[in-house]
Amino acid sequence: MKPESFRTPRRRLLSDRIARGLVSGGGMATIAGILGILFFIFIEILPLFGSADVALTARFPLDGEEPGAVVVDEHRTHAATFAADGQIVVRSLATGDVTHRLDSGIDPTLGPWKRIQQIPGEPRVAIETAGGDLFALTMDWTIEFDEATRVITPDLSRAVPFDFFDEETARIPLQQFSLAFDDDGAIAGAAITEDGRLLFARQSIEEDFMSGEETTVWERTWREAPGDVSSLLLDRQHTNIFAGTESGAVIWWVIDDGEPQEPRTAENEAPITAMTFLIGDQSLITGDVTGRLGVWFPVPSEGGGDRLGRIRGSTQQKAPIVGLSPSPRDKGVLSVDASGGMALYYSTSNRLLWSGNSPVGASSVLYYAPKANGAIVAGADELALLDIDNPHPEIGWNALFGRVWYEGYDQPERVWQSTGGTDVFEPKLSLTPLIVGTFKGTFYSLILAIPLAVLGAMYTSQFMHPRLRRTVKPTVELMAALPSVVLGFLAGLWLAPRLEMVLPALVAMLVIVPAFVLLAGVGWRSLPNGYRHRFPDGFEALLQLFVIAIAMFVAFRLNGVFEAQVFAGDVRQWLFDTTGLRYDQRNAIVVGLAMGFAVIPIIFSIAEDAFSNVPQNLVSGSLALGANRWQTVTRVVLPTASPGIFSAIMIGFGRAIGETMIVLMATGNTPLMDWSPFNGFRTLSANIAVEIPEAPHSGTLYRVLFLAAALLFVFTFVANTGAELIRQRLRKRYAQL
Amino acid sequence: MVLKANKPKRRSAQDRLSDAATSLCSAALAMNLLMVIALLAVLGYNGLSYFWQRPLVEMHLAGSEVVLGEIHERKPTVDAEAHRVRIKTGNRDVTGSDFRWIDERDIESKSRPESAMVFERMEYGNFYGTIDSLHREDETLVHGDQAWPALQRMLKQKRGEKKSIHRLEKREMGKLNHRIERLRIGILRSDDPGLREQKRVLEAEFEELSQQLFSLRDTYAAEYLVMKTGDGIDHRVPVGDIVRAIPANRQSVLDKAGLYVSRVVEFVVDDPRESNTEGGIFPALFGTVMMVFIMSFAVAPLGVLAALYLREYAKQGLLVRIVRVAVNNLAGVPSIVYGVFGLGFFVYFIGDGIDRMFFSEVLPTPTWGTGGILWGSLTLALLTVPVVIVATEEGLAAVPRIVREGSLALGATKFETTWRVVLPASAPGILTGMILAMSRAAGEVAPLMIVGMVKLAPSLPIDGNYPFVHLERKFMHLGFHIYDVGFQSPNVEAAKPLVFATALLLIVVVTFMNLGAIAVRNRLRRKYATSAV
């Protein structure tokens, strides 16, 4: 034997080295990839909890205009200022140069403009001349494309006059006024006159059917009003007038049939200095002298009817609020106070997203850009363009898990309703109904699955002949392979309609089936021993199969009788009368049955393994000491196997939590927060499946759905790890046996 | 001492209670088995009966209305006094609905007319009626009794015509279309006049073929039947519209069996019609199989490598234990979480990146930045990797240390030991894991709903156009088919039998895979069983 042949050829050593590198690299990469999933999901969630950022982009000097209002186009290329000398100047926001000077169409002989008011949330301005004439102007922009470059030109509408007073009445100077355009373009206005009265005027255009002639019809109504009104607002639906007073009251008139009704007053505790509406004109925002913001909308009052309730507020700013501008895309509002401070507040989630200082100081002239991505503020001699980065204002801890008082609701509630039909919809993103739904589905399915699976496993492992066990175990394991789509389909389309009709039979089954089973058991045991021993142990299970089938058949046959006797002929009506619960066709019972079916094989396999792993000497010892089979199983085997049973249940629990298809197909998918077994629910997983295809990439809903996925992961992680830990610990405890 | 034989013990109350409890336990197990049997029975019955042709029944109702159709269901009436039947009357283009409920008390007479026919059509579902005459444009060809044999001959001829139309449309024009599209993208990229010229030439060719197609279609549509519905109304049915003409009441058992088999074959091999409520499920089957295939390619190396690394090459310490726990946990994570990850990472991040780099001319229409079969397969691969890792690890662990050490002692390197001794011995475990993964993937719908499945894909991911395998295309899937047709189709009642058949097929496929896994595992266990040393 030559020494050389003992040395391993280089090639083999090299391939070994390469293999090591490949396997290690590939293995680590795979594992990193799998763990990276969690990392990726958590990264997608993080931006949800960030704040907004408001940054100064540009500032330009004005030549002595002192604008009373400013409007910017949606691409933030031009800004139009409205000044008291009647000048409407359009500037480019890239260079600051004046690009257009527009003619308002208002007769200059009427005098300089005494008041210039921005209509909240719209590119419209209401102007009062020195002579007391009122006009409304709309600033529009036309967009054209000249060889792939965008050209934006201002398009000012003709000034629309608004007459609070008709020809006969003498004009009284107006202390406050507010104009509003509704969706059809009709104008209405509310005003407080200097002699202390409220005036509501509405203009409508009537078309004569015959001649097609259009006539303008005015309705004007008067009411009494307090004298110290500091701000006045009419909403765009022309149904509510709000007034803020210097004594700290907020007064609300409902307009019914063209006439303001009895006012309702609410207290703010500090004089009101500014008011605006949030988008949609459902919520009123007030700013007061202490710097507080308040959010108000109608809520039910004790004596019936509605009152104006202060829902929530912000207390960040310390100086009186001088300017407010609502976001045109969401329920946020920019506020400026007398010390030059500025803040961005979001109503629904009650979050102060940003606070800082206005670059032009304490000016009330500000305008939130149409795409909610910026704002323009104008001081006496300066114009500043701001960039607003506000990706997820709707999210806060309270918005996700707590009760929120949404617009139009009677009280704070937890609601999931991510989209509505309109632009002004308030997204309701509480995850609590979904979490409750998830656990509800899990609960009802485990109620069915645990007894059937554990008892069945116990029987299979302890009482059954090994030969029979060899057929039963794989059958149940095959059950585990059934795709949940099929289960969901059968549950939703086959089981649900039939269940509705045999509900009484189902209740009867709870009594009839055990009765038949026990009788059959007694019957089986009273057979002479000779007969019985012909069949293998565990044959009783097969016998019970027929017995249960017969019992169920009997129960279904008696369904009508049972329904008539016990449920007064109509089980659904009886249910409603007794408990007030409604019965939906696709409900938690159906899901419980289907999901229970899906979970049973998992619990069964693991539990059966646990039972079978109990050392045989324990069983033999117990039997030798005189216990019968049942006592042995319940008092010796069951406690010993309990770690395994427990872990089986936990793993079944984890599986039930994440089940998507069955829930999707067998429930009504309504996000209710209700434990009744007779109505549907929506789980986290089904919600993700339904909503994520439509969720805009990187939007709030998208990230919230990622958050839901992360929650699901956490739940299953806790369940699985808990199961594993307990199993290891209890296994050590019983290991010495 | 004399030992007396014990008398058989009397059953005490204790024993009786125990017996009762045991009975209940056995009933629990029986309940499980009953549920499985019931499920398979319902599925089997409803699924298999979908293909069986029921006899056509003609009913004369009180009020001189005549109804012709197949009886599908019989239920007690709402007031529980009598029964009502659900009849499939078809003729959706005449009456607007496929089914009718008829109270049995309203039926004056029932019969099974010999001349009644049912047509399976391309559009508007089945047609039930009797043949009046056969026409070609304005000319009447045959009448009455001679119409049926003439129709049979004509149907054969139509099949040939349909094939040529299909070939012209799908293959030749489809190919041209594909080339034109690629030229269009090329022009967007480089604006080459040569390409423009080519495109013009191809477009002219396409026009020519379109004209050919139109004239073929005209001849195809020329012949039509005038049928009489149950009520005696005349209705025109183009012969080209008829997929199958069945004289249901004249068929012998052999005929019916032949029809049954032909329908089953059509189910598996044909394309769907009538928005997925009729026809076959071939694209869904193909999509499922192809996706499982691609997924296995991805999962096998990843899973085996990771398991090998964990068990053989990594230093066994706390870190590896944590990793193992993490992998075990991931096996239990809900599939929708993987779907969400697949959407966010594969589709929106990687897909979008690929689009920006290679397909920017076509943007904003996404090519890879939207769901597709590749992303779906990769998402499912991630879903099933933990299963494969766990199964492989168990397989590796089952190989006795002695065998490994023996191999090393004989001078093999670690790699050679692994490759030639350990891996083959653990092949049963690996294969089990793979087949479990594949059967799980065949049945998972939730993640795919988000990452690439659609209700109707216009073309298969593999076709005759370069590059032949289109991994960015959306695909159809059996499981999603069940969900979509069962819950989101406009005509759920008409579609339900088809869904039962699809569900049955899916279960059969999954069961076969699992049984195959068990069989392979048993065989390999015996083949590679290393005798205990």
Side-chain angles (χ1 to χ4, degrees):
Chain A
M1 284 192 281
K2 292 198 215 127
E4 287 85 42
S5 64
F6 283 174
R7 259 188 277 132
T8 322
R10 279 257 193 84
R11 192 179 48 85
R12 286 171 61 198
L13 285 174
L14 190 65
S15 60
D16 187 47
R17 208 57 73 70
I18 294 178
R20 179 179 293 267
L22 260 179
V23 172
S24 306
M28 282 196 284
T30 309
I31 295 171
I34 309 179
L35 297 179
I37 295 179
L38 310 169
F39 182 66
F40 182 82
I41 293 184
F42 279 104
I43 282 207
E44 289 279 349
I45 301 176
L46 281 181
L48 276 180
F49 300 104
S51 313
D53 193 38
V54 177
L56 177 66
T57 320
R59 54 200 319 169
F60 307 106
L62 299 170
D63 22 275
E65 279 136 49
E66 281 198 50
V70 67
V71 172
V72 74
D73 71 291
E74 66 171 335
H75 295 285
R76 295 187 296 155
T77 54
H78 294 76
T81 52
F82 297 74
D85 53 5
Q87 292 214 43
I88 303 177
V89 181
V90 178
R91 282 186 170 70
S92 151
L93 287 173
T95 57
D97 299 328
V98 174
T99 54
H100 302 80
R101 285 181 195 273
L102 302 172
D103 180 15
S104 63
I106 300 175
D107 188 353
T109 60
L110 294 171
W113 294 348
K114 192 163 67 175
R115 258 189 292 213
I116 305 173
Q117 265 183 16
Q118 185 129 42
I119 297 183
E122 296 194 37
R124 293 194 224 257
V125 175
I127 294 172
E128 188 188 20
T129 63
D133 297 287
L134 279 161
F135 296 91
L137 287 165
T138 309
M139 188 76 225
D140 214 347
W141 310 85
T142 51
I143 304 178
E144 280 155 351
F145 283 89
D146 175 22
E147 295 212 357
T149 27
R150 218 185 271 128
V151 173
I152 300 183
T153 6
D155 178 16
L156 186 66
S157 71
R158 195 178 50 85
V160 178
F162 190 83
D163 297 314
F164 271 110
F165 305 93
D166 56 30
E167 288 94 32
E168 284 102 58
T169 331
R171 265 206 202 161
I172 310 175
L174 302 173
Q175 197 183 42
Q176 299 286 337
F177 67 88
S178 169
L179 299 184
F181 283 69
D182 74 1
D183 291 330
D184 302 323
I187 317 181
I192 303 279
T193 55
E194 278 209 338
D195 60 352
R197 285 186 296 165
L198 171 71
L199 172 57
F200 173 70
R202 189 162 67 179
Q203 173 199 62
S204 48
I205 310 232
E206 285 188 358
E207 196 178 312
D208 191 338
F209 280 132
M210 313 290 204
S211 60
E213 231 179 81
E214 290 186 352
T215 39
T216 313
V217 172
W218 285 93
E219 296 166 59
R220 298 177 175 92
T221 347
W222 292 86
R223 261 208 97 89
E224 272 178 23
D228 59 347
V229 171
S230 58
S231 23
L232 187 67
L233 272 183
L234 170 67
D235 70 355
R236 67 156 56 91
Q237 292 91 358
H238 300 170
T239 47
N240 297 297
I241 302 176
F242 297 96
T245 66
E246 273 154 26
S247 51
V250 181
I251 309 176
W252 172 34
W253 291 271
V254 174
I255 300 174
D256 193 13
D257 206 11
E259 295 194 11
Q261 304 297 302
E262 274 297 311
R264 287 168 249 209
T265 318
E267 269 307 312
N268 184 54
E269 294 161 14
I272 309 280
T273 51
M275 289 202 315
T276 190
F277 283 120
L278 288 180
I279 186 179
D281 285 15
Q282 298 287 327
S283 300
L284 175 74
I285 304 282
T286 57
D288 65 30
V289 93
T290 64
R292 280 185 327 163
L293 289 177
V295 180
W296 310 71
F297 53 73
V299 297
S301 68
E302 280 88 48
D306 286 343
R307 65 177 175 89
L308 192 64
R310 188 172 190 281
I311 307 298
R312 56 182 83 95
S314 148
T315 55
Q316 173 64 21
Q317 289 159 299
K318 301 297 177 222
I321 307 287
V322 298
L324 290 170
S325 183
S327 162
R329 287 274 174 101
D330 55 53
K331 306 282 178 187
V333 63
L334 261 179
S335 58
V336 177
D337 66 44
S339 68
M342 201 155 102
L344 178 60
Y345 172 72
Y346 191 83
S347 164
T348 318
S349 54
N350 199 23
R351 283 182 73 189
L352 184 72
L353 293 165
W354 175 87
S355 65
N357 286 308
S358 163
V360 298
S363 161
S364 65
V365 180
L366 73 159
Y367 185 72
Y368 214 126
K371 283 193 179 166
N373 52 7
I376 257 234
V377 285
D381 48 9
E382 212 177 24
L383 195 67
L385 175 64
L386 301 166
D387 213 35
I388 298 183
D389 180 25
N390 188 13
H392 308 294
E394 313 91 328
I395 300 300
W397 190 256
N398 198 44
L400 284 175
F401 297 108
R403 286 181 205 274
V404 177
W405 204 332
Y406 298 102
E407 286 176 352
Y409 277 65
D410 289 344
Q411 56 186 0
E413 286 191 31
R414 298 182 164 101
V415 179
W416 173 275
Q417 197 185 356
S418 55
T419 46
T422 62
D423 285 336
V424 304
F425 179 76
E426 186 176 29
K428 304 169 176 60
L429 297 170
S430 175
L431 287 177
T432 322
L434 302 176
I435 298 179
V436 166
T438 309
F439 284 110
K440 178 174 170 183
T442 313
F443 173 71
Y444 283 108
S445 65
L446 285 182
I447 283 188
L448 177 78
I450 292 181
L452 286 185
V454 173
L455 293 180
M458 193 159 81
Y459 185 83
T460 310
S461 155
Q462 299 298 312
F463 294 93
M464 206 180 245
H465 195 275
R467 201 161 24 112
L468 210 55
R469 196 184 314 153
R470 265 199 287 268
T471 10
V472 166
K473 252 204 101 167
T475 315
V476 178
E477 276 176 8
L478 271 181
M479 226 168 122
L482 287 176
S484 54
V485 185
V486 175
L487 293 174
F489 158 69
L490 281 175
L493 286 188
W494 186 85
L495 184 62
R498 287 179 168 75
L499 194 74
E500 198 180 9
M501 293 193 292
V502 298
L503 204 56
L506 207 65
V507 174
M509 257 172 61
L510 292 174
V511 168
I512 296 185
V513 168
F516 270 60
V517 162
L518 290 173
L519 278 175
V522 167
W524 175 248
R525 257 168 275 282
S526 39
L527 278 184
N529 276 358
Y531 263 136
R532 244 191 322 147
H533 289 317
R534 283 239 207 106
F535 301 105
D537 286 342
F539 196 72
E540 187 183 356
L542 288 177
L543 169 74
Q544 295 292 10
L545 212 121
F546 291 106
V547 170
I548 296 179
I550 295 175
M552 284 173 70
F553 181 73
V554 168
F556 288 142
R557 271 288 168 197
L558 294 177
N559 180 47
V561 171
F562 198 63
E563 183 164 21
Q565 293 301 327
V566 178
F567 296 112
D570 184 349
V571 63
R572 293 170 67 159
Q573 189 60 41
W574 179 90
L575 189 69
F576 183 63
D577 292 335
T578 344
T579 56
L581 294 171
R582 291 202 181 281
Y583 183 87
D584 290 335
Q585 192 190 77
R586 293 196 185 152
N587 52 39
I589 301 181
V590 174
V591 173
L593 286 170
M595 212 144 72
F597 186 100
V599 164
I600 283 176
I602 297 175
I603 303 183
F604 184 95
S605 310
I606 304 181
E608 205 273 339
D609 279 340
F611 279 120
S612 301
N613 285 335
V614 170
Q616 193 58 28
N617 51 19
L618 287 179
V619 174
S620 310
S622 164
L623 289 172
L625 287 171
N628 65 26
R629 193 91 201 174
W630 176 256
Q631 287 168 325
T632 308
V633 169
T634 42
R635 297 192 200 193
V636 176
V637 178
L638 191 55
T640 316
S642 60
I645 310 291
F646 184 77
S647 112
I649 294 178
M650 291 294 266
I651 293 189
F653 176 81
R655 170 87 160 84
I657 280 197
E659 183 50 57
T660 312
M661 292 315 293
I662 295 182
V663 175
L664 208 53
M665 299 202 256
T667 64
N669 242 338
T670 41
L672 303 168
M673 247 178 81
D674 188 346
W675 289 96
S676 155
F678 302 109
N679 54 24
F681 53 94
R682 190 188 278 204
T683 61
L684 284 167
S685 46
N687 187 57
I688 296 174
V690 165
E691 302 221 2
I692 212 170
E694 306 289 311
H697 181 41
S698 296
T700 305
L701 179 60
Y702 180 81
R703 293 196 198 277
V704 170
L705 292 173
F706 265 78
L707 180 63
L711 273 178
L712 272 178
F713 170 74
V714 167
F715 289 148
T716 41
F717 179 80
V718 165
N720 283 334
T721 312
E724 187 62 33
L725 284 177
I726 294 186
R727 183 160 54 154
Q728 281 180 2
R729 194 138 56 95
L730 289 177
R731 189 186 290 160
K732 251 187 272 177
R733 208 193 321 158
Y734 287 108
Q736 60 262 35
L737 296 170
Chain B
M1 210 167 22
V2 178
L3 287 172
K4 267 202 255 192
N6 278 339
K7 280 203 292 255
K9 229 171 38 168
R10 297 227 26 236
R11 316 275 305 164
S12 63
Q14 187 89 305
D15 289 330
R16 261 187 255 278
L17 220 59
S18 305
D19 285 342
T22 314
S23 296
L24 288 175
C25 272
S26 70
L29 178 67
M31 193 75 193
N32 288 336
L33 297 174
L34 198 64
M35 280 166 79
V36 179
I37 295 175
L39 181 122
L40 293 174
V42 167
L43 216 51
Y45 173 70
N46 280 301
L48 291 174
S49 68
Y50 167 66
F51 303 104
W52 183 255
Q53 178 61 47
R54 289 169 226 253
L56 297 179
V57 176
E58 186 180 75
M59 300 192 203
H60 292 260
L61 303 179
S64 73
E65 197 185 344
V66 182
V67 171
L68 175 68
E70 300 169 9
I71 298 183
H72 273 242
E73 215 183 317
R74 187 168 177 268
K75 272 205 308 213
T77 49
V78 185
D79 55 9
E81 310 265 304
H83 284 92
R84 52 194 177 132
V85 285
R86 187 161 70 112
I87 297 209
K88 183 166 183 180
T89 53
N91 305 9
R92 203 185 308 149
D93 44 349
V94 180
T95 58
S97 67
D98 284 293
F99 290 92
R100 267 184 74 166
W101 282 102
I102 298 186
D103 195 315
E104 272 183 353
R105 294 171 288 195
D106 292 335
I107 303 176
E108 284 184 357
S109 68
K110 268 203 265 196
S111 65
R112 293 195 186 175
E114 287 256 315
S115 57
M117 305 273 300
V118 54
F119 291 156
E120 289 176 17
R121 298 189 288 179
M122 294 294 291
E123 271 187 319
Y124 296 117
N126 285 4
F127 185 88
Y128 298 88
T130 45
I131 302 183
D132 183 78
S133 46
L134 181 62
H135 301 248
R136 173 178 292 132
E137 278 157 1
D138 292 324
E139 189 195 326
T140 309
L141 292 177
V142 235
H143 235 324
D145 290 330
Q146 297 165 319
W148 171 234
L151 178 66
Q152 280 177 304
R153 285 194 298 273
M154 191 165 284
L155 279 176
K156 269 214 188 76
Q157 176 198 346
K158 284 293 168 204
R159 256 187 283 267
E161 283 177 25
K162 197 194 290 198
K163 269 212 186 85
S164 20
I165 290 182
H166 184 88
R167 200 180 39 229
L168 181 60
E169 198 178 18
K170 278 271 157 71
R171 279 216 231 127
E172 293 180 31
M173 288 173 74
K175 258 206 180 68
L176 264 182
N177 214 357
H178 192 80
R179 284 165 63 192
I180 291 176
E181 180 62 26
R182 292 186 57 225
L183 281 174
R184 186 179 77 86
I185 296 181
I187 290 170
L188 275 175
R189 273 196 201 146
S190 63
D191 205 17
D192 179 5
L195 290 179
R196 278 189 207 271
E197 187 51 41
Q198 274 185 31
K199 186 161 171 259
R200 253 186 292 258
V201 167
L202 288 182
E203 275 171 347
E205 243 184 87
F206 190 83
E207 250 322 293
E208 239 184 80
L209 287 181
S210 295
Q211 292 302 329
Q212 250 185 40
L213 185 67
F214 284 145
S215 61
L216 265 182
R217 281 228 178 102
D218 279 338
T219 18
Y220 184 73
E223 285 95 350
Y224 61 91
L225 284 167
V226 170
M227 303 287 296
K228 281 208 181 321
T229 64
D231 277 343
I233 304 176
D234 279 351
H235 185 73
R236 277 196 193 184
V237 177
V239 177
D241 232 15
I242 301 178
V243 176
R244 253 197 213 97
I246 305 164
N249 294 340
R250 288 207 292 262
Q251 285 185 318
S252 66
V253 178
L254 208 60
D255 289 333
K256 291 197 182 182
L259 177 63
Y260 191 88
V261 170
S262 131
R263 276 183 172 160
V264 172
V265 170
E266 177 200 45
F267 180 67
V268 177
V269 165
D270 261 0
D271 285 338
R273 325 188 276 271
E274 199 62 24
S275 62
N276 278 342
T277 59
E278 285 183 18
I281 51 155
F282 180 68
L285 194 56
F286 186 84
T288 311
V289 168
M290 185 168 166
M291 184 207 64
V292 168
F293 211 56
I294 299 180
M295 183 214 77
S296 321
F297 269 143
V299 139
L302 289 181
V304 172
L305 274 181
L308 259 184
Y309 173 69
L310 276 180
R311 187 150 284 274
E312 304 274 323
Y313 286 84
K315 222 184 332 209
Q316 304 293 317
L318 184 64
L319 189 62
V320 169
R321 270 185 38 215
I322 292 182
V323 166
R324 213 172 261 134
V325 165
V327 168
N328 269 324
N329 250 308
L330 279 165
V333 166
S335 53
I336 193 86
V337 175
Y338 289 99
V340 161
F341 170 75
L343 181 71
F345 184 71
F346 288 130
V347 175
Y348 284 143
F349 182 63
I350 295 192
D352 211 40
I354 295 181
D355 270 355
R356 260 188 261 268
M357 277 201 280
F358 298 112
F359 295 94
S360 47
E361 319 78 33
V362 205
L363 284 176
T365 310
T367 321
W368 289 95
T370 179
I373 194 168
L374 180 64
W375 303 139
S377 309
L378 287 181
T379 306
L380 279 189
L382 278 178
L383 176 71
T384 47
V385 149
V387 169
V388 174
I389 293 182
V390 167
T392 311
E393 266 210 284
E394 292 204 354
L396 290 172
V399 177
R401 210 152 50 102
I402 295 177
V403 173
R404 270 182 253 250
E405 288 177 353
S407 164
L408 290 170
L410 288 170
T413 62
K414 182 150 184 153
F415 167 61
E416 285 165 356
T417 308
T418 311
W419 187 248
R420 292 184 200 225
V421 177
V422 177
L423 272 183
S426 49
I430 298 179
L431 259 163
T432 312
M434 284 299 304
I435 299 190
L436 282 178
M438 282 162 69
S439 94
R440 180 141 182 224
E444 275 293 346
V445 177
L448 295 177
M449 255 166 64
I450 309 178
V451 192
M453 281 192 304
V454 284
K455 75 182 279 135
L456 198 63
S459 45
L460 295 176
I462 297 185
D463 63 14
N465 299 318
Y466 179 81
F468 306 116
V469 181
H470 307 270
L471 289 175
E472 80 284 3
R473 282 200 187 150
K474 296 200 191 331
F475 65 108
M476 293 172 74
H477 184 274
L478 280 178
F480 185 65
H481 202 81
I482 296 175
Y483 169 68
D484 184 68
V485 179
F487 291 83
Q488 295 184 329
S489 75
N491 198 345
V492 175
E493 279 308 314
K496 249 208 289 199
L498 181 71
V499 182
F500 271 110
T502 313
L504 187 63
L505 181 67
L506 183 60
I507 290 203
V508 163
V509 167
V510 167
T511 308
F512 263 121
M513 281 174 146
N514 275 336
L515 286 178
I518 297 175
V520 164
R521 175 173 56 181
N522 288 342
R523 207 160 72 92
L524 282 177
R525 210 173 257 163
R526 265 177 282 143
K527 184 172 172 194
Y528 283 107
T530 45
S531 48
V533 172

